[in-house]
Amino acid sequence: MKISELADAGDVSVATVKYYLREGVLPPGRAISRTQADYDASHVERLRLVRALIGVGGLSLARVRQVLSVIEDGSIGPADVMSAAQLSLYDTEDADTEGADGGGAEPVSQAADDATAPPSPGAALIRTLGWHVRLPDPVVDELDEAIEACVTADIGYSDELLARYAEICLEVAETDLATVPSEPAAAVRQVVLGTVLLDPVLVALRRLAQQHAAHTRLPSTGQGPGFAARPPGEA
Amino acid sequence: MKISELADAGDVSVATVKYYLREGVLPPGRAISRTQADYDASHVERLRLVRALIGVGGLSLARVRQVLSVIEDGSIGPADVMSAAQLSLYDTEDADTEGADGGGAEPVSQAADDATAPPSPGAALIRTLGWHVRLPDPVVDELDEAIEACVTADIGYSDELLARYAEICLEVAETDLATVPSEPAAAVRQVVLGTVLLDPVLVALRRLAQQHAAHTRLPSTGQGPGFAARPPGEA
């Protein structure tokens, strides 16, 4: 197909397709003349993936390139696609230069590289659970920062709470995994988009579940801001 | 105590304390002269809460004011504190004017106000589960948008997946609820900060659990990017 047909199939402009070709996130078509190239179904599929990663997934073009390199690395087996796809979502270069961006004064994980230092809370958890996670991992750094914030804010955070959360998240992960196709490109697409897109679903469901659980478990005065059980008109 | 002592206790400058007093997020002290006021432990506690909400929770001062109004509304019972605190995190006025900020062209929930329209996916889920959630709710709108994005991206989203997630999130909520104190101000602090601060913990744990589950359940070629089982030096 012609470049204009490829653009139509991907619901983008020809200029966008040319941009993606220049940036290397779309492979070149088969040259059929000095100015024309032929594109096939694999280009349409790749274009749609790029659009989904950028548009719905909110990834930068540089991040998309990293994700695609995971797909194209044929040596990555199904078990490693998960972590490779996740890693492609992180700026691993930035990981060591954090902590000075306005949050707190002290660097959060200053001892991360010190082999004699005790493990970070996240690393300790991984060890206790016996989880198969490559260390260092940017996600563990993220977990450490999140735990640090909870400890600082004194919101009843405890190791027991963390362990219970981990247990529940393993149920989520098993559910997630059941949806991942075996073909690597489809798997990476699923892992990356599923990671980015399902987080907000879980976050929203947690809040709604909290409302429900609070109503089931705690005494209500009925004076709160209009719950469904008492329509506003029925004062 | 003097304003400078209050500032010290809250680890902020006197100028910041004066700003909070002007903005009404700190109640005035007891006037002891034309230029001096006396502050007590309740001011220190409030100042720390405001700092936590702004600094760790990332809330705006306007949002902090909404949260504080929930705490000060003595008529809100324990069961309703959860939803009232959650609502204080949302710009309810903005909820109806979304959809024009660069994401997609069509408004996501244009039929939300139409009583004859079928319920949104989120509202339908709440109904099916029999969850006690006041509708409309900005969290349900958020859930609907997240579901819409998953459907658009074609990542194997299904009603069964959503129902399973909901079931798991109820376990999270029961865990969360066990940490909420009964005193309203402390409860609101816990709910708001716990909501804001524990989301990233759950998100990170989900990713790590995915890595672990992928390794346990899927065949590995051993060619992936260096898992813990094989230290980098041991090539």
Side-chain angles (χ1 to χ4, degrees), chain B residues 96-198:
Chain B
D96 295 326
T97 56
E98 274 175 9
D101 49 14
E106 299 93 336
V108 172
S109 54
Q110 54 196 17
D113 295 328
D114 184 350
T116 63
S120 69
L125 177 75
I126 297 301
R127 189 178 295 180
T128 305
L129 296 170
W131 278 8
H132 207 101
V133 170
R134 176 196 63 77
L135 292 174
D137 183 305
V139 186
V140 175
D141 293 344
E142 212 166 59
L143 177 60
D144 286 334
E145 283 177 44
I147 291 173
E148 175 89 19
C150 290
V151 170
T152 305
D154 185 22
I155 51 162
Y157 165 85
S158 66
D159 286 348
E160 289 68 34
L161 180 72
L162 187 65
R164 176 74 186 119
Y165 273 3
E167 196 183 335
I168 295 173
C169 284
L170 196 52
E171 295 180 47
V172 177
E174 303 271 3
T175 306
D176 292 337
L177 211 65
T179 70
V180 175
S182 59
E183 195 272 310
V188 169
R189 181 181 185 282
Q190 172 72 19
V191 170
V192 172
L193 288 182
T195 296
V196 175
L197 297 179
L198 287 169

Side-chain angles (χ1 to χ4, degrees), chain A residues 7 40 109 140 148 171 204 224:
Chain A
D40 59 27
S109 55
V140 175
E148 174 90 19
E171 295 180 48

